[in-house]
Coordinates of all heavy atoms in Angstrom, one line a residue:
M1 N 35.1 30.5 -90.4 CA 34.2 31.0 -91.3 C 33.7 32.4 -90.8 O 33.4 32.6 -89.6 CB 33.0 30.1 -91.4 CG 31.9 30.7 -92.3 SD 30.5 29.5 -92.5 CE 30.9 28.9 -94.1
A2 N 33.6 33.4 -91.7 CA 33.1 34.7 -91.3 C 31.6 34.7 -91.3 O 31.0 34.9 -92.4 CB 33.7 35.7 -92.2
F3 N 30.9 34.5 -90.2 CA 29.5 34.5 -90.2 C 28.8 35.8 -90.4 O 27.7 35.8 -90.9 CB 29.0 33.9 -88.8 CG 29.5 32.6 -88.5 CD1 30.5 32.4 -87.5 CD2 29.1 31.5 -89.2 CE1 30.9 31.1 -87.2 CE2 29.5 30.2 -89.0 CZ 30.4 30.0 -87.9
E4 N 29.4 36.9 -90.0 CA 28.8 38.2 -90.1 C 28.4 38.6 -91.5 O 27.5 39.5 -91.7 CB 29.6 39.3 -89.5 CG 31.0 39.6 -90.1 CD 32.1 38.7 -89.6 OE1 31.9 37.8 -88.8 OE2 33.2 38.8 -90.2
N5 N 29.0 38.0 -92.6 CA 28.7 38.4 -93.9 C 27.9 37.3 -94.7 O 27.7 37.5 -95.9 CB 30.0 38.6 -94.7 CG 30.8 39.8 -94.2 OD1 30.1 40.8 -93.8 ND2 32.1 39.8 -94.1
D6 N 27.5 36.3 -94.0 CA 26.7 35.2 -94.7 C 25.3 35.7 -94.8 O 24.6 36.0 -93.9 CB 26.8 34.0 -93.8 CG 26.4 32.7 -94.6 OD1 25.2 32.8 -95.1 OD2 27.1 31.8 -94.6
W7 N 24.8 35.6 -96.1 CA 23.4 36.1 -96.4 C 22.4 35.3 -95.6 O 21.3 35.8 -95.4 CB 23.2 36.0 -97.9 CG 23.1 34.5 -98.4 CD1 24.1 33.8 -98.9 CD2 21.9 33.7 -98.5 NE1 23.7 32.5 -99.3 CE2 22.3 32.5 -99.0 CE3 20.6 33.9 -98.1 CZ2 21.5 31.4 -99.2 CZ3 19.7 32.8 -98.3 CH2 20.1 31.6 -98.9
R8 N 22.7 34.1 -95.2 CA 21.7 33.3 -94.5 C 21.4 33.8 -93.1 O 20.3 33.4 -92.5 CB 22.1 31.8 -94.4 CG 22.2 31.2 -95.8 CD 22.9 29.9 -95.8 NE 24.3 30.0 -95.5 CZ 25.2 29.0 -95.3 NH1 24.7 27.8 -95.4 NH2 26.4 29.2 -95.0
I9 N 22.3 34.6 -92.5 CA 22.0 35.0 -91.1 C 22.1 36.5 -90.9 O 21.9 37.0 -89.8 CB 23.0 34.3 -90.1 CG1 24.4 34.7 -90.4 CG2 22.8 32.8 -90.1 CD1 25.4 34.2 -89.4
I10 N 22.3 37.3 -92.0 CA 22.4 38.7 -91.8 C 21.0 39.3 -91.5 O 20.0 38.9 -92.0 CB 22.9 39.4 -93.2 CG1 24.3 39.0 -93.4 CG2 22.7 40.9 -93.2 CD1 24.9 39.5 -94.7
D11 N 21.0 40.2 -90.5 CA 19.8 41.0 -90.1 C 18.6 40.2 -89.7 O 17.5 40.5 -89.9 CB 19.4 41.9 -91.3 CG 20.4 43.0 -91.6 OD1 21.2 43.4 -90.7 OD2 20.5 43.4 -92.8
R12 N 18.9 39.0 -89.1 CA 17.8 38.2 -88.5 C 18.2 37.8 -87.1 O 19.3 37.5 -86.8 CB 17.6 37.0 -89.4 CG 17.0 37.4 -90.7 CD 16.8 36.3 -91.7 NE 15.8 35.4 -91.2 CZ 15.5 34.2 -91.8 NH1 16.3 33.8 -92.8 NH2 14.6 33.4 -91.4
P13 N 17.2 37.9 -86.2 CA 17.5 37.5 -84.8 C 17.6 36.0 -84.6 O 16.5 35.3 -84.8 CB 16.3 38.1 -84.0 CG 15.2 38.1 -85.0 CD 15.9 38.4 -86.3
W14 N 18.7 35.5 -84.3 CA 18.9 34.0 -84.1 C 19.1 33.6 -82.7 O 19.4 32.4 -82.5 CB 20.0 33.6 -85.0 CG 19.8 33.8 -86.5 CD1 20.4 34.7 -87.3 CD2 18.8 33.1 -87.3 NE1 19.9 34.6 -88.6 CE2 18.9 33.7 -88.6 CE3 17.8 32.2 -87.1 CZ2 18.1 33.2 -89.7 CZ3 17.0 31.8 -88.1 CH2 17.2 32.3 -89.4
D15 N 19.1 34.4 -81.8 CA 19.5 34.0 -80.4 C 18.7 32.8 -79.9 O 19.2 32.0 -79.1 CB 19.3 35.2 -79.4 CG 20.4 36.3 -79.6 OD1 21.4 35.9 -80.2 OD2 20.2 37.4 -79.1
Y16 N 17.4 32.7 -80.3 CA 16.6 31.6 -79.8 C 17.1 30.2 -80.3 O 16.7 29.2 -79.7 CB 15.1 31.8 -80.2 CG 14.8 31.7 -81.7 CD1 14.3 30.5 -82.2 CD2 15.1 32.7 -82.6 CE1 14.1 30.3 -83.5 CE2 14.8 32.6 -83.9 CZ 14.3 31.4 -84.4 OH 14.1 31.2 -85.7
L17 N 18.0 30.2 -81.3 CA 18.5 28.9 -81.7 C 19.9 28.6 -81.1 O 20.4 27.5 -81.4 CB 18.6 28.9 -83.3 CG 17.3 28.8 -84.0 CD1 17.5 28.9 -85.5 CD2 16.6 27.5 -83.7
K18 N 20.4 29.4 -80.3 CA 21.7 29.2 -79.7 C 21.5 28.1 -78.7 O 20.6 28.1 -77.9 CB 22.3 30.4 -79.1 CG 22.8 31.4 -80.2 CD 23.6 32.5 -79.6 CE 24.1 33.3 -80.8 NZ 24.8 34.5 -80.3
N19 N 22.4 27.1 -78.7 CA 22.4 26.0 -77.8 C 21.2 25.1 -77.9 O 20.8 24.4 -76.9 CB 22.6 26.4 -76.3 CG 23.9 27.2 -76.1 OD1 25.0 26.7 -76.5 ND2 23.9 28.4 -75.6
A20 N 20.5 25.1 -79.0 CA 19.3 24.4 -79.2 C 19.6 22.9 -79.3 O 20.7 22.5 -79.7 CB 18.5 24.8 -80.4
E21 N 18.7 22.1 -78.9 CA 18.7 20.6 -79.1 C 18.1 20.3 -80.4 O 16.9 20.7 -80.7 CB 18.1 19.9 -77.9 CG 18.8 20.0 -76.6 CD 18.1 19.2 -75.5 OE1 16.9 18.8 -75.6 OE2 18.8 19.0 -74.5
L22 N 18.8 19.5 -81.3 CA 18.2 19.2 -82.6 C 18.1 17.7 -82.7 O 18.9 16.9 -82.1 CB 19.2 19.7 -83.7 CG 19.5 21.2 -83.7 CD1 20.4 21.5 -84.8 CD2 18.2 22.0 -83.9
V23 N 17.1 17.3 -83.5 CA 16.9 15.9 -83.8 C 17.3 15.7 -85.3 O 16.9 16.5 -86.1 CB 15.4 15.5 -83.6 CG1 15.2 14.1 -84.1 CG2 15.1 15.7 -82.2
Y24 N 18.1 14.7 -85.6 CA 18.5 14.4 -87.0 C 17.5 13.5 -87.6 O 17.1 12.5 -87.0 CB 19.9 13.8 -87.0 CG 20.3 13.4 -88.4 CD1 20.5 14.4 -89.4 CD2 20.4 12.1 -88.8 CE1 20.9 14.1 -90.7 CE2 20.8 11.7 -90.1 CZ 21.0 12.7 -91.0 OH 21.4 12.4 -92.3
V25 N 17.0 13.8 -88.8 CA 16.1 13.0 -89.6 C 16.8 12.5 -90.8 O 17.1 13.4 -91.7 CB 14.8 13.8 -89.9 CG1 13.9 13.0 -90.8 CG2 14.1 14.2 -88.7
K26 N 17.1 11.2 -90.9 CA 17.8 10.7 -92.1 C 16.9 10.7 -93.3 O 17.4 10.9 -94.4 CB 18.3 9.3 -91.7 CG 19.2 8.7 -92.8 CD 19.8 7.4 -92.4 CE 20.7 6.9 -93.5 NZ 21.3 5.6 -93.1
E27 N 15.6 10.4 -93.1 CA 14.7 10.3 -94.3 C 13.4 11.0 -93.9 O 12.7 10.5 -93.0 CB 14.5 8.8 -94.6 CG 13.8 8.5 -95.9 CD 14.7 8.9 -97.1 OE1 15.9 8.7 -97.0 OE2 14.1 9.3 -98.1
Y28 N 13.2 12.1 -94.5 CA 12.0 12.9 -94.1 C 10.7 12.2 -94.5 O 10.6 11.6 -95.6 CB 12.1 14.3 -94.9 CG 10.8 15.1 -94.7 CD1 10.7 15.9 -93.5 CD2 9.8 15.1 -95.6 CE1 9.5 16.6 -93.3 CE2 8.6 15.8 -95.4 CZ 8.5 16.6 -94.2 OH 7.4 17.3 -94.0
H29 N 9.7 12.3 -93.6 CA 8.3 11.9 -93.9 C 7.4 12.9 -93.3 O 7.7 13.4 -92.2 CB 8.1 10.5 -93.3 CG 8.9 9.4 -93.8 ND1 8.8 8.9 -95.1 CD2 10.0 8.7 -93.3 CE1 9.7 8.0 -95.3 NE2 10.4 7.8 -94.3
P30 N 6.4 13.3 -94.0 CA 5.5 14.3 -93.5 C 4.9 13.9 -92.1 O 4.6 12.8 -91.9 CB 4.4 14.4 -94.5 CG 4.9 13.8 -95.7 CD 5.9 12.8 -95.3
T31 N 4.6 14.9 -91.3 CA 4.1 14.7 -90.0 C 2.5 14.7 -90.0 O 1.9 14.3 -89.0 CB 4.6 15.7 -88.9 OG1 4.4 17.0 -89.4 CG2 6.1 15.4 -88.7
N32 N 2.0 15.3 -91.0 CA 0.5 15.3 -91.2 C 0.1 15.4 -92.7 O 1.0 15.6 -93.5 CB -0.1 16.5 -90.4 CG 0.3 17.8 -90.8 OD1 0.1 18.2 -92.0 ND2 0.9 18.6 -89.9
D33 N -1.2 15.2 -92.9 CA -1.6 15.2 -94.3 C -1.7 16.5 -95.0 O -1.8 16.6 -96.2 CB -3.0 14.5 -94.4 CG -3.0 13.1 -94.0 OD1 -1.9 12.4 -94.2 OD2 -4.0 12.5 -93.6
S34 N -1.7 17.6 -94.2 CA -1.8 18.9 -94.9 C -0.5 19.6 -95.2 O -0.5 20.7 -95.8 CB -2.6 19.8 -93.9 OG -1.9 20.0 -92.7
W35 N 0.6 19.0 -94.8 CA 1.9 19.6 -95.1 C 2.9 18.5 -95.6 O 3.2 17.6 -94.8 CB 2.5 20.2 -93.8 CG 3.6 21.2 -94.1 CD1 4.9 21.0 -93.7 CD2 3.6 22.4 -94.7 NE1 5.7 22.1 -94.0 CE2 4.9 23.0 -94.7 CE3 2.6 23.2 -95.4 CZ2 5.2 24.2 -95.3 CZ3 2.9 24.4 -95.9 CH2 4.2 24.9 -95.9
D36 N 3.4 18.6 -96.8 CA 4.3 17.6 -97.3 C 5.8 18.0 -97.4 O 6.5 17.2 -98.0 CB 3.8 17.2 -98.7 CG 4.0 18.3 -99.8 OD1 4.3 19.5 -99.4 OD2 3.7 18.0 -100.9
H37 N 6.2 19.1 -96.8 CA 7.6 19.5 -96.9 C 7.9 20.5 -95.8 O 7.0 21.0 -95.1 CB 7.9 20.1 -98.2 CG 7.3 21.4 -98.5 ND1 6.0 21.6 -98.7 CD2 7.8 22.7 -98.4 CE1 5.7 22.9 -98.9 NE2 6.8 23.6 -98.7
E38 N 9.1 20.7 -95.6 CA 9.7 21.7 -94.7 C 10.7 22.6 -95.4 O 11.1 22.2 -96.5 CB 10.3 21.1 -93.5 CG 9.5 20.1 -92.7 CD 8.3 20.7 -91.9 OE1 8.4 22.0 -91.7 OE2 7.4 20.0 -91.6
H39 N 11.0 23.7 -94.8 CA 12.1 24.5 -95.4 C 13.2 24.8 -94.4 O 12.9 25.0 -93.2 CB 11.5 25.9 -95.8 CG 10.6 25.8 -97.0 ND1 11.0 25.9 -98.3 CD2 9.2 25.7 -97.1 CE1 10.0 25.8 -99.1 NE2 8.9 25.7 -98.4
C40 N 14.4 24.8 -94.9 CA 15.5 25.1 -94.0 C 15.3 26.6 -93.5 O 15.1 27.5 -94.3 CB 16.8 25.0 -94.7 SG 18.3 25.5 -93.8
T41 N 15.4 26.8 -92.2 CA 15.3 28.1 -91.6 C 16.3 29.1 -92.2 O 15.9 30.3 -92.3 CB 15.5 28.0 -90.1 OG1 14.4 27.1 -89.6 CG2 15.4 29.3 -89.4
F42 N 17.4 28.6 -92.6 CA 18.5 29.6 -93.0 C 18.5 29.8 -94.5 O 18.5 30.9 -95.0 CB 19.9 29.1 -92.5 CG 20.0 29.0 -91.0 CD1 19.8 27.9 -90.3 CD2 20.3 30.2 -90.3 CE1 19.9 27.9 -88.9 CE2 20.4 30.2 -89.0 CZ 20.2 29.0 -88.3
C43 N 18.5 28.7 -95.3 CA 18.7 28.9 -96.8 C 17.4 28.6 -97.5 O 17.4 28.8 -98.7 CB 19.8 27.9 -97.3 SG 19.3 26.2 -97.3
F44 N 16.4 28.2 -96.8 CA 15.0 28.0 -97.4 C 14.9 26.8 -98.4 O 14.0 26.6 -99.1 CB 14.5 29.2 -98.1 CG 14.7 30.5 -97.3 CD1 15.6 31.5 -97.7 CD2 13.9 30.6 -96.1 CE1 15.7 32.6 -96.9 CE2 14.1 31.8 -95.3 CZ 15.0 32.8 -95.7
A45 N 15.9 25.9 -98.4 CA 15.9 24.7 -99.2 C 14.7 23.8 -98.7 O 14.4 23.8 -97.5 CB 17.2 23.9 -99.0
S46 N 14.1 23.2 -99.7 CA 12.9 22.3 -99.4 C 13.4 20.9 -98.9 O 14.3 20.4 -99.5 CB 12.0 22.1 -100.6 OG 11.4 23.4 -100.9
I47 N 12.8 20.4 -97.9 CA 13.1 19.1 -97.3 C 11.8 18.3 -97.5 O 10.8 18.7 -96.8 CB 13.6 19.2 -95.9 CG1 14.8 20.0 -95.8 CG2 13.8 17.8 -95.3 CD1 15.2 20.4 -94.4
S48 N 11.8 17.3 -98.3 CA 10.6 16.5 -98.5 C 10.9 15.1 -99.0 O 12.0 14.7 -99.1 CB 9.7 17.2 -99.5 OG 10.1 17.1 -100.8
E49 N 9.8 14.4 -99.4 CA 10.0 13.1 -100.0 C 10.2 13.2 -101.5 O 10.5 12.2 -102.2 CB 8.8 12.2 -99.7 CG 8.7 11.8 -98.3 CD 7.4 11.0 -98.0 OE1 6.3 11.3 -98.5 OE2 7.6 10.0 -97.3
N50 N 10.0 14.4 -102.1 CA 10.1 14.6 -103.5 C 11.5 14.4 -104.0 O 12.5 14.9 -103.3 CB 9.6 16.0 -103.9 CG 8.1 16.2 -103.6 OD1 7.3 15.2 -103.7 ND2 7.7 17.4 -103.3
D51 N 11.7 13.8 -105.1 CA 13.0 13.5 -105.7 C 13.9 14.8 -105.8 O 15.1 14.7 -105.6 CB 13.0 12.8 -107.0 CG 12.5 11.4 -106.9 OD1 12.5 10.8 -105.7 OD2 12.0 10.9 -107.9
E52 N 13.3 15.9 -106.2 CA 14.1 17.1 -106.5 C 14.5 17.9 -105.2 O 15.2 18.9 -105.3 CB 13.4 18.1 -107.4 CG 12.1 18.7 -106.9 CD 10.8 17.8 -107.1 OE1 11.0 16.7 -107.6 OE2 9.8 18.3 -106.7
N53 N 14.0 17.5 -104.0 CA 14.3 18.2 -102.8 C 15.3 17.4 -101.9 O 15.6 16.2 -102.2 CB 13.0 18.4 -102.0 CG 12.1 19.3 -102.7 OD1 12.5 20.2 -103.5 ND2 10.8 19.2 -102.4
L54 N 15.7 18.0 -100.9 CA 16.6 17.4 -99.9 C 15.7 16.4 -99.1 O 14.4 16.6 -99.0 CB 17.1 18.4 -98.9 CG 18.0 19.5 -99.5 CD1 18.4 20.5 -98.4 CD2 19.2 18.9 -100.1
H55 N 16.3 15.3 -98.6 CA 15.5 14.3 -97.9 C 15.8 14.1 -96.4 O 15.2 13.3 -95.7 CB 15.7 12.9 -98.6 CG 15.3 13.0 -100.0 ND1 14.0 12.9 -100.5 CD2 16.1 13.1 -101.1 CE1 14.0 13.0 -101.8 NE2 15.2 13.1 -102.2
S56 N 16.8 14.9 -96.0 CA 17.2 14.8 -94.6 C 17.5 16.1 -94.0 O 17.7 17.1 -94.7 CB 18.4 13.9 -94.4 OG 19.5 14.4 -95.2
G57 N 17.6 16.2 -92.7 CA 17.9 17.5 -92.0 C 17.7 17.3 -90.5 O 17.6 16.2 -90.0
Y58 N 17.7 18.5 -89.9 CA 17.6 18.5 -88.4 C 16.4 19.4 -88.1 O 16.1 20.3 -88.8 CB 18.9 19.2 -87.8 CG 20.1 18.4 -88.1 CD1 20.8 18.6 -89.3 CD2 20.7 17.6 -87.2 CE1 22.0 17.9 -89.6 CE2 21.9 16.9 -87.5 CZ 22.5 17.0 -88.7 OH 23.7 16.4 -88.9
Y59 N 15.8 19.1 -86.9 CA 14.7 20.0 -86.5 C 14.9 20.3 -85.0 O 15.5 19.5 -84.3 CB 13.3 19.5 -86.8 CG 12.9 18.3 -86.1 CD1 12.3 18.3 -84.8 CD2 13.1 17.0 -86.6 CE1 11.9 17.2 -84.2 CE2 12.7 15.9 -86.0 CZ 12.1 16.0 -84.7 OH 11.7 14.9 -84.1
T60 N 14.4 21.4 -84.5 CA 14.5 21.7 -83.1 C 13.5 20.9 -82.3 O 12.3 20.8 -82.7 CB 14.1 23.2 -82.9 OG1 12.9 23.5 -83.6 CG2 15.2 24.1 -83.5
S61 N 14.0 20.3 -81.3 CA 13.2 19.3 -80.5 C 12.3 20.0 -79.5 O 11.2 19.5 -79.1 CB 14.0 18.3 -79.8 OG 14.8 19.0 -78.8
E62 N 12.6 21.2 -79.0 CA 11.9 21.8 -77.9 C 10.7 22.6 -78.3 O 9.9 23.0 -77.5 CB 12.9 22.7 -77.0 CG 13.4 23.9 -77.8 CD 14.7 23.6 -78.4 OE1 15.1 22.4 -78.6 OE2 15.4 24.5 -78.8
F63 N 10.5 22.8 -79.6 CA 9.3 23.6 -80.0 C 8.2 22.6 -80.4 O 8.5 21.5 -80.9 CB 9.7 24.4 -81.3 CG 10.8 25.4 -81.0 CD1 11.8 25.5 -81.9 CD2 10.7 26.2 -79.9 CE1 12.8 26.5 -81.7 CE2 11.8 27.2 -79.7 CZ 12.8 27.3 -80.6
E64 N 7.0 23.0 -80.3 CA 5.9 22.2 -80.7 C 6.0 22.0 -82.3 O 6.6 22.8 -82.9 CB 4.5 22.8 -80.3 CG 4.3 24.2 -80.9 CD 3.0 24.8 -80.3 OE1 3.1 25.3 -79.2 OE2 2.0 24.9 -81.1
I65 N 5.3 21.0 -82.8 CA 5.5 20.6 -84.2 C 5.3 21.8 -85.1 O 6.0 22.0 -86.1 CB 4.6 19.4 -84.6 CG1 5.1 18.2 -83.9 CG2 4.5 19.3 -86.1 CD1 4.3 17.0 -84.1
S66 N 4.2 22.6 -84.9 CA 3.9 23.7 -85.8 C 5.0 24.8 -85.8 O 5.0 25.7 -86.6 CB 2.6 24.3 -85.5 OG 2.5 24.8 -84.2
K67 N 5.8 24.8 -84.8 CA 6.8 25.9 -84.7 C 8.3 25.4 -84.7 O 9.2 26.1 -84.5 CB 6.7 26.6 -83.3 CG 5.3 27.4 -83.3 CD 5.2 28.1 -82.0 CE 3.9 28.8 -81.9 NZ 3.6 29.5 -80.7
Q68 N 8.4 24.1 -85.2 CA 9.8 23.6 -85.3 C 10.5 24.3 -86.4 O 10.0 24.7 -87.4 CB 9.7 22.1 -85.7 CG 9.3 21.2 -84.6 CD 9.1 19.8 -85.1 OE1 8.9 19.5 -86.2 NE2 9.2 18.8 -84.1
E69 N 11.8 24.4 -86.1 CA 12.7 25.0 -87.1 C 13.5 23.9 -87.7 O 14.1 23.0 -87.0 CB 13.7 26.0 -86.4 CG 13.1 27.1 -85.6 CD 12.6 28.2 -86.6 OE1 13.0 28.2 -87.8 OE2 12.0 29.2 -86.1
W70 N 13.5 23.8 -89.0 CA 14.3 22.8 -89.8 C 15.6 23.4 -90.3 O 15.6 24.6 -90.7 CB 13.4 22.3 -90.9 CG 12.4 21.3 -90.4 CD1 11.2 21.5 -89.8 CD2 12.6 19.8 -90.5 NE1 10.6 20.3 -89.5 CE2 11.4 19.3 -89.9 CE3 13.6 19.0 -91.0 CZ2 11.2 17.9 -89.8 CZ3 13.4 17.6 -90.9 CH2 12.2 17.1 -90.3
I71 N 16.6 22.6 -90.3 CA 17.9 23.1 -90.7 C 18.5 22.0 -91.7 O 18.6 20.8 -91.3 CB 18.9 23.3 -89.5 CG1 18.2 24.3 -88.6 CG2 20.2 23.7 -90.0 CD1 18.8 24.4 -87.2
C72 N 18.9 22.4 -92.9 CA 19.4 21.4 -93.8 C 20.8 21.0 -93.3 O 21.4 21.7 -92.5 CB 19.5 21.9 -95.2 SG 20.7 23.2 -95.5
E73 N 21.4 19.9 -93.9 CA 22.7 19.4 -93.5 C 23.8 20.4 -93.8 O 24.7 20.6 -92.9 CB 23.0 18.1 -94.1 CG 22.0 17.0 -93.6 CD 22.5 15.6 -93.9 OE1 23.6 15.3 -93.7 OE2 21.6 14.9 -94.4
K74 N 23.7 21.1 -94.9 CA 24.8 22.1 -95.2 C 24.8 23.3 -94.2 O 25.8 23.6 -93.6 CB 24.6 22.7 -96.6 CG 25.7 23.8 -96.9 CD 25.7 24.1 -98.3 CE 26.7 25.2 -98.6 NZ 27.8 25.5 -97.7
C75 N 23.6 23.8 -93.9 CA 23.5 24.9 -92.9 C 23.9 24.4 -91.5 O 24.5 25.1 -90.8 CB 22.1 25.5 -92.9 SG 21.8 26.5 -94.4
F76 N 23.6 23.2 -91.2 CA 24.0 22.6 -89.9 C 25.5 22.6 -89.8 O 26.0 23.1 -88.8 CB 23.4 21.2 -89.7 CG 23.9 20.6 -88.5 CD1 23.3 20.8 -87.3 CD2 25.0 19.7 -88.5 CE1 23.8 20.3 -86.1 CE2 25.5 19.1 -87.3 CZ 24.9 19.4 -86.1
K77 N 26.1 22.1 -90.8 CA 27.6 22.0 -90.8 C 28.2 23.4 -90.8 O 29.2 23.7 -90.1 CB 28.1 21.3 -92.0 CG 27.9 19.8 -92.0 CD 28.3 19.1 -93.2 CE 27.9 17.7 -93.2 NZ 28.1 17.0 -94.5
D78 N 27.6 24.4 -91.5 CA 28.2 25.7 -91.5 C 28.0 26.5 -90.2 O 28.9 27.2 -89.8 CB 27.5 26.5 -92.7 CG 28.0 26.1 -94.1 OD1 28.9 25.3 -94.2 OD2 27.3 26.5 -95.0
F79 N 26.9 26.3 -89.6 CA 26.5 27.1 -88.4 C 26.6 26.4 -87.1 O 26.5 27.1 -86.0 CB 25.1 27.8 -88.6 CG 25.0 28.7 -89.8 CD1 24.0 28.5 -90.7 CD2 26.0 29.7 -90.0 CE1 23.9 29.3 -91.8 CE2 25.9 30.5 -91.1 CZ 24.9 30.3 -92.0
S80 N 26.9 25.2 -87.1 CA 27.0 24.5 -85.8 C 28.0 25.1 -84.8 O 27.7 25.2 -83.6 CB 27.3 23.0 -86.0 OG 27.1 22.3 -84.8
P81 N 29.2 25.5 -85.3 CA 30.2 26.1 -84.4 C 29.6 27.4 -83.8 O 29.9 27.7 -82.6 CB 31.4 26.4 -85.3 CG 31.2 25.4 -86.4 CD 29.8 25.3 -86.7
L82 N 28.9 28.1 -84.5 CA 28.4 29.4 -84.1 C 27.2 29.2 -83.1 O 27.2 29.9 -82.0 CB 27.8 30.2 -85.2 CG 27.2 31.6 -84.9 CD1 28.2 32.5 -84.3 CD2 26.5 32.2 -86.2
F83 N 26.3 28.3 -83.3 CA 25.1 28.1 -82.5 C 25.3 27.1 -81.4 O 24.5 27.0 -80.5 CB 23.9 27.8 -83.4 CG 23.5 28.9 -84.2 CD1 23.8 29.1 -85.5 CD2 22.6 29.8 -83.6 CE1 23.4 30.1 -86.3 CE2 22.1 30.9 -84.4 CZ 22.5 31.1 -85.7
K84 N 26.3 26.3 -81.5 CA 26.6 25.2 -80.5 C 25.4 24.3 -80.3 O 25.0 24.1 -79.1 CB 27.1 25.9 -79.2 CG 28.3 26.7 -79.4 CD 28.8 27.3 -78.1 CE 30.1 28.0 -78.4 NZ 30.2 29.3 -77.9
W85 N 24.9 23.8 -81.4 CA 23.8 22.9 -81.3 C 24.2 21.5 -80.7 O 25.3 21.1 -80.8 CB 23.2 22.6 -82.7 CG 22.5 23.8 -83.3 CD1 21.7 24.7 -82.6 CD2 22.6 24.4 -84.6 NE1 21.3 25.7 -83.5 CE2 21.8 25.5 -84.7 CE3 23.3 23.9 -85.7 CZ2 21.7 26.2 -85.9 CZ3 23.2 24.6 -86.9 CH2 22.4 25.8 -86.9
R86 N 23.2 20.9 -80.1 CA 23.4 19.5 -79.5 C 22.4 18.6 -80.2 O 21.2 18.9 -80.4 CB 23.1 19.5 -78.0 CG 24.1 20.4 -77.2 CD 23.8 20.4 -75.7 NE 22.4 20.7 -75.3 CZ 21.8 21.8 -75.3 NH1 22.5 22.9 -75.6 NH2 20.6 22.0 -74.9
I87 N 22.9 17.4 -80.6 CA 22.0 16.4 -81.3 C 21.6 15.5 -80.2 O 22.3 15.0 -79.4 CB 22.8 15.7 -82.3 CG1 23.5 16.6 -83.3 CG2 21.9 14.7 -83.0 CD1 22.5 17.5 -84.0
I88 N 20.2 15.3 -80.2 CA 19.7 14.3 -79.2 C 19.1 13.1 -79.9 O 18.8 13.1 -81.1 CB 18.6 15.0 -78.3 CG1 17.5 15.6 -79.1 CG2 19.3 16.0 -77.4 CD1 16.3 16.0 -78.2

C-alpha cells in the first residue's frame, strides 16, 4: 500500500504511534458519564454503542484515558504494517 498518498496520514506527525501497544475492544462501552463515543485518530469514524456507529476498535494502552488514541478496525488493518503495532 502506498501510505504517502493516503489522506488519513498526510501532513500529520505520527511518530508517537510507531511501535505502540494497542488494546482491542470488541464491544465499546463508555469509560465515563460525560463521554459516550470515541473517534478514530486517522479517519475520524465514531466508535460508540449507537447503532449507526462502529462498535469495536483499538486504543493505545500507554496513554492516560483522556489522551488515548482510538483506531478503527479498517485503519488498523491498513496501517499496522507501517506502524508495527503490538496487541496486548
Side-chain angles (χ1 to χ4, degrees):
M1 174 178 262
F3 299 113
E4 64 275 359
N5 294 324
D6 194 305
W7 67 269
R8 296 170 290 176
I9 60 173
I10 291 176
D11 297 329
R12 294 177 66 189
W14 296 112
D15 287 343
Y16 69 99
L17 285 175
K18 288 189 177 175
N19 300 307
E21 292 182 342
L22 303 178
V23 175
Y24 177 67
V25 174
K26 185 175 183 177
E27 193 68 32
Y28 175 84
H29 298 289
T31 55
N32 64 56
D33 293 335
S34 63
W35 195 249
D36 67 351
H37 70 286
E38 304 292 341
H39 290 275
C40 175
T41 298
F42 295 99
C43 72
F44 312 112
S46 292
I47 302 167
S48 77
E49 294 179 316
N50 296 330
D51 290 340
E52 67 273 4
N53 295 333
L54 301 175
H55 302 281
S56 61
Y58 300 82
Y59 69 86
T60 50
S61 66
E62 63 271 14
F63 301 132
E64 60 188 74
I65 289 176
S66 64
K67 295 182 180 178
Q68 285 175 337
E69 300 282 352
W70 279 79
I71 302 164
C72 73
E73 291 193 52
K74 178 170 179 16
C75 288
F76 175 83
K77 288 176 187 172
D78 290 347
F79 298 127
S80 190
L82 175 66
F83 289 97
K84 299 180 176 131
W85 291 316
R86 297 180 311 280
I87 307 304
I88 59 167

